[in-house]
Amino acid sequence: KAARKFEKLKAEANELFKTRKYEEAEEKYSEVLLVDPANKKLNSVIYNNRAAARKELKKYEEAEQDCTRAIEADEYFTKAFLRRSRIREELEKWDDAVSDVKSAVELDQFNSGFNVAHSVVPLFEF
């Protein structure tokens, strides 16, 4: 039952995000995190998604914290490292941003479903 509720709320949150209703998406992602707090792997995705919503709302510190939570729950979560890098750029934490990109590139060799090179190229265009 928890799994169905989790997936239902996650889908609702994702739809809100897609329609640019970022505040509502942030709230819905927060609600999803309450469904099964012990499931670190699934919650890592939700933290990363909530970070995306918070980034759009310019809540950079909170977004950075969400990415860190996602990484703590799944240390191989390449997309969370890349998102946190972009957020750290906004916070002008340049060294930390570069460190996250390096981590993502290192992880990419283990993660065949995601190509960091395509994500990193536009990352540092000024």
Side-chain angles (χ1 to χ4, degrees), residues 75-114:
E75 62 186 307
Y76 299 103
F77 198 172
T78 306
K79 289 173 89 173
F81 278 103
L82 290 173
R83 176 160 289 130
R84 189 172 68 177
S85 174
R86 290 186 178 104
I87 291 164
R88 286 176 165 177
E89 283 185 65
E90 296 292 342
L91 293 169
E92 298 184 7
K93 295 181 176 181
W94 309 116
D95 291 342
D96 291 336
V98 170
S99 176
D100 280 345
V101 170
K102 287 179 180 177
S103 294
V105 170
E106 288 173 17
L107 288 172
D108 195 42
Q109 63 186 323
F110 303 109
N111 188 354
S112 59
F114 189 75

Side-chain angles (χ1 to χ4, degrees), residues 19-84:
T19 57
R20 299 176 186 245
K21 296 178 181 173
Y22 301 121
E23 285 184 28
E24 292 173 51
E26 177 189 21
E27 291 172 18
K28 188 64 73 170
Y29 287 128
S30 296
E31 190 178 336
V32 177
L33 288 167
L34 299 174
V35 174
D36 189 2
N39 194 330
K40 289 185 176 186
K41 184 73 171 171
L42 287 176
N43 286 333
S44 66
V45 173
I46 302 305
Y47 278 120
N48 193 49
N49 289 357
R50 188 173 71 176
R54 287 178 166 176
K55 180 180 183 284
E56 293 298 326
L57 294 168
K58 300 190 182 329
K59 296 181 177 180
Y60 299 123
E61 291 84 5
E62 291 171 272
E64 180 185 27
Q65 290 169 3
D66 277 351
C67 287
T68 299
R69 288 184 186 110
I71 293 163
E72 287 170 350
D74 179 1
E75 62 186 307
Y76 299 103
F77 198 172
T78 306
K79 289 173 89 173
F81 278 103
L82 290 173
R83 176 160 289 130
R84 189 172 68 177

